[in-house]
Amino acid sequence: FLNPYDYVEQMRLRPLYAESHWNVKEKQPMEWKDFVTKTWTTRRPHADTEIKERKEAKCQYGFPYKSIVPCTKSPSAYEMTLNGRKPYQSILD
């Protein structure tokens, strides 16, 4: 079991399933403040926009379309807020 601070720090150092929260340019973790204040989401890939029946779509991990980005299989998986309309404002939400 990790306390919340250690959990967030471990995610910052190795953001599994959250590739938008990695400093790709420098190939290293993001700075702490940048990581914890960045909106917890990523852009929908083109493959997601081609899904016609979004209400019936079963996405990765069994989520409905509006509840996860991306819907199509990907190393990333960002859950949306409970109402499924907006991303969490940060990992701390």
Side-chain angles (χ1 to χ4, degrees):
F1 176 75
L2 290 176
N3 65 55
Y5 174 83
D6 289 336
Y7 169 78
V8 172
E9 180 63 0
Q10 289 302 309
M11 284 293 290
R12 183 185 76 84
L13 294 174
R14 191 168 173 223
L16 300 173
Y17 312 110
E19 64 187 23
S20 291
H21 284 75
W22 178 257
N23 188 336
V24 176
K25 192 176 194 179
E26 297 179 19
K27 297 181 181 172
Q28 64 184 20
M30 295 175 76
E31 293 295 323
W32 173 260
K33 183 178 179 186
D34 295 335
F35 181 80
V36 298
T37 59
K38 184 174 180 174
T39 303
W40 197 248
T41 193
T42 192
R43 292 182 186 199
R44 280 207 183 269
H46 181 70
D48 276 16
T49 63
E50 293 182 340
I51 296 171
K52 303 283 188 238
E53 301 296 326
R54 294 179 181 164
K55 287 186 178 183
E56 290 80 30
K58 288 291 182 198
C59 300
Q60 58 177 331
Y61 306 110
F63 281 92
Y65 184 89
K66 69 178 186 174
S67 297
I68 195 165
V69 175
C71 178
T72 52
K73 190 168 175 122
S74 168
S76 289
Y78 289 90
E79 291 181 52
M80 305 301 274
T81 56
L82 291 177
N83 66 11
R85 291 191 169 78
K86 297 188 300 185
Y88 288 99
Q89 290 302 301
S90 76
I91 190 173
L92 303 176
D93 280 352

